[in-house]
Amino acid sequence: MLVLVLGDLHIPYRAHELPEKFKKLLVPGKIQKILCTGNLCSKETFDYLKTLASDVHVAKGDFDTSNYPESKVVEIGNFKIGIIHGHQVVPWGDHESLGMLQREMDVDILISGHTHKYETFEAGDKFFINPGSATGAYSGFTSDVCPSFVLMDVQGNHAIVYTYQLRNGEVKVEKLEHKKKD
């Protein structure tokens, strides 16, 4: 199953739209599910995501006015995946705090945002993904925000994670793998 993971779009307040090179990659009919860390900031942005996949899950960001849940757990393949925005994690983006939340939510993969900075890491046999900001919206953390999103190909206990980053006008792709231990 192909899963789009993204967040912190901040459309229209901090960014006008997704980068054109990302829009060309994200076409309807290829993605089965979308997991979003929030800060969509408009119904139009949610509606756009629904054109890419009918199964869209959003955690409420600190700038969202829609009635999304603060957190959500979905099952994909053999993984339990938690989705949060990340403003609840103190300090923001802290690995230990994310680990505590992952244990609290009892998930194999925790997806969080808020920092606008792409990051993945493993702790024990658990996997953590921050897809960054899909639009490159500015952040109070850094002036150097690189637009990014993640595509996850999930098959049973195996997740292949493709990270797309827009650097110097070019889309760069990195590949990682995560296997759930039986």
Side-chain angles (χ1 to χ4, degrees), residues 129-167:
I129 300 172
N130 182 331
S133 170
T135 58
Y138 75 84
S139 160
F141 303 106
T142 178
S143 59
D144 183 30
V145 179
C146 174
S148 59
F149 68 88
V150 168
L151 281 176
M152 266 196 320
D153 184 8
V154 179
Q155 304 295 327
N157 287 353
H158 192 230
I160 301 174
V161 177
Y162 299 93
T163 304
Y164 293 76
Q165 294 182 313
L166 188 60
R167 295 206 173 272

Side-chain angles (χ1 to χ4, degrees), residues 63-98:
F63 283 85
D64 284 322
T65 56
S66 296
N67 199 19
Y68 305 123
E70 288 287 322
S71 65
K72 189 156 193 175
V73 176
V74 296
E75 292 193 25
I76 302 173
N78 295 334
F79 292 99
K80 277 178 65 181
I81 301 175
I83 313 160
I84 61 164
H85 175 62
H87 65 281
Q88 317 87 323
V89 176
V90 179
W92 296 329
D94 179 70
H95 289 196
E96 282 186 39
S97 298
L98 288 166

Side-chain angles (χ1 to χ4, degrees), residues 1 14 19 33 36 48 62 65 101 108 119 126 147 169 173 176:
M1 172 175 291
R14 295 186 186 178
K33 197 177 291 279
C36 179
Y48 167 73
D62 53 338
T65 56
L101 189 56
D108 305 302
E119 180 181 34
K126 306 303 180 189
V173 183
L176 296 167

